[in-house]
Amino acid sequence: MTTVLRVIEPGLLTTVQDLGRPHAIAAGVQPGGAMDRFAHRAANLMVGNPEGDATLECTLTGPQMVAAHSCLVAITGADLDPSVNGQAAPMWTGIFLGQGDRLTFGGRRSGGRAYIAIAGGIEADSWLGSASTNLLAARGGMHGRNLKAGDQISTSRQATRPAVSGHHLIESLRPQYFDHTLFAIAGPHVKRLDSQGRGLLFGATFKVSREADRMGYRLDGPRLATSGEELLSFGLTAGAVQVPHGGQPILLMADHQTAGGYPVVATVVSASMPVAGQLIPGDELHFQEVTLERARQMRLALAAALDTLR
Amino acid sequence: MPPPPSTRPAPRVRIHPLGDTALLAELGTRLDTALNTRAIALAAALKKRRDVRQAVAGYTGVTVHFDPDQTTPDVLGAAIKRLAAKRPPMAEPGRLHRIPVVYEGPDLEEVAARLNLSPARIVELHSMPIYRVFLVGFVPGWAYLGPLPEELELPRRHVPRTQVPAGSVAIAARQTGIYPLPTPGGWHLIGRTSVKLFLPDSDPPSLFRAGDRVKFFAAKS
């Protein structure tokens, strides 16, 4: 449709993401999608898009872009210090960019991934039912790759609602990403940990290692010893905490391998995955065990926060 | 002709939560074709439910992703137990793929030496069975095939390779498989094939599907 943004600098890793392709996991394709789906959905709702529209996921450093056409955008997620024409731009709020306006980002203040939604969506390659970028298969999004200088971002359709700026998430509902408590439910193989291991899993502080990307995070910290025979491979899910030989846990994220045979000792609940999706190497975190009922309440609270934007 | 009555009792199902939006239904823990057939049938039955977003069969169980607004793990778990207790439909024989392999992998000699067999005997043993696709997953297009003849059983390499070329035919434990993409890997590489396993422009994008059968044959380089 209309070209609305031109990319001057792409940022460290900026990709097109939506809610992923969960049906493709049966063929071994990673589900993909936004790492922080609360921020992704909120950004879309603030500009009047369906919550599953494609957004730009900006990792650690934001892009620099110039508006080729006036457009309504919203920036959510990590605070990467956004500015329009050098003036600080509000986050978690729909804002207008006029033709020629320059959207830039300064330094990172919190979180790891910011999301930019554009009213009318983002024109992107669809692959297996999703616009999410799969870098391994080089499919989806911006031709299967991250953004680069010179790319043009177009809307995917005419906006169906009048563009209104100022639509925002109230302050008290905005995630801060400073509390890295990840609420989790004990996993299918938690009994393979000894009592000390279980205590460490739900008590110790772990740190996201340098081996951390959209597939998952290897966690530094105490080693978790597991016992028992090798498992036969089974289907995995984002949020699963796997413990391979050697005992260094791995938290699986949006582009996780679809199957594996390492013990899964815990699974982070859906309401904590947005926070998990904002972690970067060096961040400390800890797992706190919760009941399914508590997980449900947390999930409903996030849904209610998004409902304030509808 | 009616199918013969099943001689195996319905397996006991164990349901484990995987967070608040998925669960793992385990039918057993042994590498067993009958269990895998049941797992594939159970996954197919679960996919038809409105509260199920996706069901993926593993070797001996099913990972079920569900919509937490439509069901609870307890309700879904009870439904899974009812479904698993039913006799599975007669398993379709599965499609048969014949895959040419050039048996010149970098580990062929070493595998032969460790197993005290000649390379020619390795090739003969590897290309003899009709393997079953137990599970598609791990990376796009990867399929776990087996069971491998006992004579070829070896643990994985101590130090995995950081990069295995696409098309490498490999063995480990009682399994065999083909690397669909260049990825790290710890299996023993005994050959290569030009057949493409990952078909990004098809849907599903994997040549093999769970329950398919695969026969390798030796081809000239």
Side-chain angles (χ1 to χ4, degrees):
Chain A
M1 295 288 300
T2 315
T3 298
V4 286
L5 293 169
R6 279 188 295 117
V7 178
I8 308 300
E9 285 288 335
L12 186 66
L13 173 67
T14 303
T15 58
V16 175
Q17 298 293 340
D18 58 13
L19 298 176
R21 43 182 72 84
H23 85 274
I25 56 179
V29 175
Q30 312 92 313
M35 292 275 275
D36 176 349
R37 296 193 180 187
F38 179 83
H40 165 89
R41 288 184 158 109
N44 272 323
L45 294 173
M46 283 166 203
V47 297
N49 290 344
E51 62 184 48
D53 260 15
T55 64
L56 298 177
E57 181 180 274
C58 316
T59 317
L60 291 168
T61 63
Q64 291 187 34
M65 300 192 287
V66 170
H69 198 276
S70 65
C71 55
L72 174 65
V73 303
I75 306 161
T76 63
D79 184 350
L80 305 182
D81 187 15
S83 303
V84 174
N85 299 329
Q87 300 286 313
M91 291 189 60
W92 301 97
T93 301
I95 53 174
F96 270 118
L97 298 181
Q99 191 175 351
D101 280 355
R102 206 177 167 88
L103 174 62
T104 58
F105 292 84
R108 189 183 72 86
R109 291 162 165 161
S110 72
R113 292 173 177 86
Y115 293 83
I116 305 173
I118 304 165
I122 292 172
E123 176 78 34
D125 298 346
S126 178
W127 182 54
L128 303 173
S130 162
S132 287
T133 310
N134 184 309
L135 294 173
L136 186 66
R139 289 292 190 287
M142 184 62 82
H143 316 312
R145 59 168 171 78
N146 44 330
L147 254 55
K148 62 181 191 195
D151 279 341
Q152 313 232 3
I153 312 286
S154 301
T155 53
S156 59
R157 57 169 189 280
Q158 294 289 352
T160 50
R161 301 186 197 185
V164 181
S165 68
H167 197 37
H168 66 278
L169 189 66
I170 60 168
E171 201 88 33
S172 62
L173 295 178
R174 297 181 193 178
Q176 297 300 320
Y177 309 127
F178 291 119
D179 181 355
H180 298 165
T181 304
L182 300 182
F183 295 94
I185 288 171
H189 312 113
V190 71
K191 293 203 171 87
R192 289 176 171 243
L193 297 171
D194 55 20
S195 61
Q196 191 202 4
R198 189 171 177 142
L200 287 170
L201 171 65
F202 290 116
T205 298
F206 295 91
K207 193 188 249 186
V208 179
S209 76
R210 296 179 64 86
E211 287 176 86
D213 56 22
R214 284 184 43 90
M215 295 172 71
Y217 309 153
R218 272 181 199 274
L219 303 179
D220 287 334
R223 292 291 195 260
L224 303 175
T226 55
S227 57
E229 296 175 39
E230 291 222 358
L231 293 161
L232 292 167
S233 292
F234 54 94
L236 292 168
T237 181
V241 181
Q242 272 189 331
V243 182
H245 308 301
Q248 185 180 21
I250 301 171
L251 171 59
L252 299 182
M253 298 301 295
D255 282 344
H256 66 85
Q257 61 188 59
T258 61
Y262 294 131
V264 170
V265 295
T267 310
V268 173
V269 302
S270 56
S272 276
M273 287 307 286
V275 171
Q278 292 292 348
L279 298 178
I280 64 167
D283 278 345
E284 293 190 335
L285 63 98
H286 70 273
F287 297 108
Q288 185 171 325
E289 193 168 7
V290 283
T291 60
L292 278 166
E293 176 52 27
R294 178 80 187 106
R296 191 182 71 90
Q297 290 163 7
M298 292 166 59
R299 186 168 52 74
L300 293 179
L302 286 186
L306 289 177
D307 279 343
T308 66
L309 295 169
R310 288 177 213 274
Chain B
M1 205 171 73
S6 173
T7 53
R8 287 163 189 270
R12 229 183 96 236
V13 189
R14 288 196 299 172
I15 309 278
H16 304 281
L18 277 170
D20 58 333
T21 62
L23 54 80
L24 175 63
E26 270 186 349
L27 304 178
T29 55
R30 300 267 153 224
L31 193 148
D32 179 297
T33 299
L35 269 182
N36 182 244
T37 302
R38 281 188 175 269
I40 292 169
L42 179 58
L46 284 166
K47 274 188 210 176
K48 295 181 185 146
R49 289 176 60 95
R50 275 175 32 160
D51 53 4
V52 170
R53 289 173 174 157
Q54 179 60 289
V56 180
Y59 271 97
T60 62
V62 182
T63 298
V64 189
H65 301 263
F66 59 86
D67 179 349
D69 293 328
Q70 290 197 48
T71 191
T72 67
D74 284 347
V75 169
L76 189 56
I80 289 169
K81 286 183 176 173
R82 280 197 305 276
L83 282 169
K86 287 187 189 165
R87 194 177 63 204
M90 271 289 275
E92 306 249 344
R95 304 174 308 160
L96 176 65
H97 305 267
R98 295 187 76 243
I99 305 291
V101 180
V102 177
Y103 283 100
E104 291 175 2
D107 299 336
L108 183 63
E109 296 284 339
E110 189 195 324
V111 165
R114 284 180 63 181
L115 293 170
N116 237 335
L117 298 168
S118 69
R121 181 66 182 149
I122 303 285
V123 173
E124 198 179 350
L125 284 168
H126 185 259
S127 56
M128 202 179 315
I130 293 179
Y131 298 108
R132 175 186 180 78
V133 176
F134 279 95
L135 167 59
V136 174
F138 181 53
V139 293
W142 175 270
Y144 294 89
L145 311 176
L148 191 72
E150 262 172 45
E151 297 98 307
L152 294 180
E153 187 171 345
L154 269 183
R156 291 168 197 215
R157 290 166 58 88
H158 272 299
V159 182
R161 286 186 169 85
T162 52
Q163 187 86 314
V164 173
S168 298
V169 176
I171 60 171
R174 295 294 302 280
Q175 305 169 105
T176 182
I178 307 168
Y179 285 88
L181 294 165
T183 50
W187 291 25
H188 306 276
L189 313 182
I190 60 168
R192 64 174 188 275
T193 183
S194 54
V195 173
K196 297 279 177 283
L197 279 293
F198 175 49
L199 310 170
D201 298 311
S202 303
D203 192 359
S206 171
L207 177 65
F208 296 154
R209 293 174 210 162
D212 281 0
R213 294 170 302 150
V214 179
K215 178 85 167 69
F216 293 110
F217 66 95
K220 293 212 161 60
S221 57

